[in-house]
Amino acid sequence: MQVLNLIQENLFITQVELKEKMQVSIITVKRLMVDLLKRGVIERQGSSRRGKWFIISQKE
């Protein structure tokens, strides 16, 4: 999944940066991130501005 690859490359990537790299709308990125969070694939640690993403599992 492209979003997971981008997170692996940069744990501090923002949703706006994901939008630009994936060439999709911000709403699409938010929907993808919520889905991955609910399924336990990714986790956010720290604040929304200075936090970073962690990939918990690679299940898609």
Side-chain angles (χ1 to χ4, degrees):
M1 180 176 256
Q2 186 180 11
V3 68
L4 294 178
N5 292 334
L6 292 169
I7 291 172
Q8 279 181 326
E9 291 173 13
N10 178 8
L11 297 178
F12 296 95
I13 196 164
T14 65
Q15 290 183 350
V16 172
E17 290 171 330
L18 287 169
K19 171 189 92 80
E20 291 167 359
K21 290 181 184 261
M22 293 171 47
Q23 298 180 339
V24 296
S25 71
I26 193 70
I27 298 300
T28 299
V29 171
K30 289 179 184 288
R31 186 175 37 235
L32 284 169
M33 301 306 277
V34 166
D35 180 57
L36 291 171
L37 284 164
K38 282 183 180 177
R39 292 189 300 151
V41 177
I42 60 172
E43 178 181 283
R44 180 80 174 178
Q45 289 185 351
S47 70
S48 60
R49 290 195 180 255
R50 296 191 183 249
K52 61 183 176 179
W53 296 102
F54 289 94
I55 297 175
I56 307 302
S57 79
Q58 287 288 340
K59 61 183 173 185
E60 294 185 28

